[in-house]
Amino acid sequence: MVTTRSNPEVALTLPSDREIVLTCILRHPPELIYQAWTQPEHIRNWQGCAEGEVTSCAVDLREGGAWHYTMRMPDGSEHPFHGVYREIVPSRRLEYTSCYDMPAFGRPEWIATVVFEPFHNGTRLIHTILHETKHMRDGHLRSGMENGLAAGMGRLDDEAESIGRKS
């Protein structure tokens, strides 16, 4: 059975016991969305939940290259994430590992695949998160990630707009 929750901008589906798929339509073309998704100076402006601030970010955008960022919450807690790029097709597709590097939460890891499809004058973004187990997937869902991802997609689109204005 496929479970679906959505709002006008974002649809979240659970196509299998291990997957979370976020699909959204963004106003800007794949090239701008991809830049915002992969360049540290832009990631800082949209990644994470609305209350958090990305305080450090580094990207080695090549297959086998690593990425990481740390988000600081209003209470001062820091939440590090990191991973390694497995596949890169500029402006079309990214696949990478991702780890929420918090010992208290067991340092969960997953594989993320992001597809940037041209859609009218914008982009259909399909972000698939593949967990090792259903338990890990369900824990990710219980974290409140759906609201954070939905808000992040709006900020991502705004960041792409900012890139476009500077070009």
Side-chain angles (χ1 to χ4, degrees), residues 93-115:
R93 178 183 165 87
L94 290 171
E95 183 178 292
Y96 52 90
T97 62
S98 191
C99 175
Y100 178 40
D101 200 4
M102 294 291 286
F105 294 98
R107 291 188 170 105
E109 293 188 47
W110 57 89
I111 297 171
T113 304
V114 184
V115 175

Side-chain angles (χ1 to χ4, degrees), residues 20-85:
I20 302 169
V21 177
L22 173 84
T23 304
C24 62
I25 305 300
L26 302 169
R27 299 170 291 149
H28 302 288
E31 296 75 19
L32 294 179
I33 300 297
Y34 178 82
Q35 284 180 51
W37 195 283
T38 59
Q39 296 176 0
E41 64 272 23
H42 301 299
I43 293 168
R44 291 175 184 272
N45 296 327
W46 72 268
Q47 187 60 264
C49 62
E51 304 83 35
E53 171 191 7
V54 175
T55 57
S56 69
C57 182
V59 171
D60 180 7
L61 189 61
R62 62 182 175 82
E63 291 180 8
W67 64 270
H68 73 83
Y69 72 85
T70 301
M71 184 173 46
R72 181 175 298 135
M73 300 303 288
D75 66 3
S77 63
E78 298 211 336
H79 299 265
F81 295 81
H82 66 85
V84 175
Y85 291 103

Side-chain angles (χ1 to χ4, degrees), residues 80-161:
F81 295 81
H82 66 85
V84 175
Y85 291 103
R86 296 167 50 148
E87 180 184 359
I88 299 171
V89 181
S91 300
R92 297 295 174 246
R93 178 183 165 87
L94 290 171
E95 183 178 292
Y96 52 90
T97 62
S98 191
C99 175
Y100 178 40
D101 200 4
M102 294 291 286
F105 294 98
R107 291 188 170 105
E109 293 188 47
W110 57 89
I111 297 171
T113 304
V114 184
V115 175
F116 308 86
E117 293 180 350
F119 185 79
H120 300 288
N121 292 327
T123 301
R124 179 191 333 257
L125 186 138
I126 304 166
H127 182 189
T128 302
I129 299 167
L130 177 63
H131 284 281
E132 290 180 21
T133 67
K134 180 182 186 312
H135 178 75
M136 292 173 77
R137 183 210 62 183
D138 291 350
H140 199 174
L141 288 167
R142 283 191 302 273
S143 75
M145 56 81 70
E146 181 177 357
N147 290 334
L149 281 173
M153 292 301 99
R155 291 191 308 272
L156 173 67
D157 209 23
D158 290 345
E159 187 64 19
E161 183 174 352

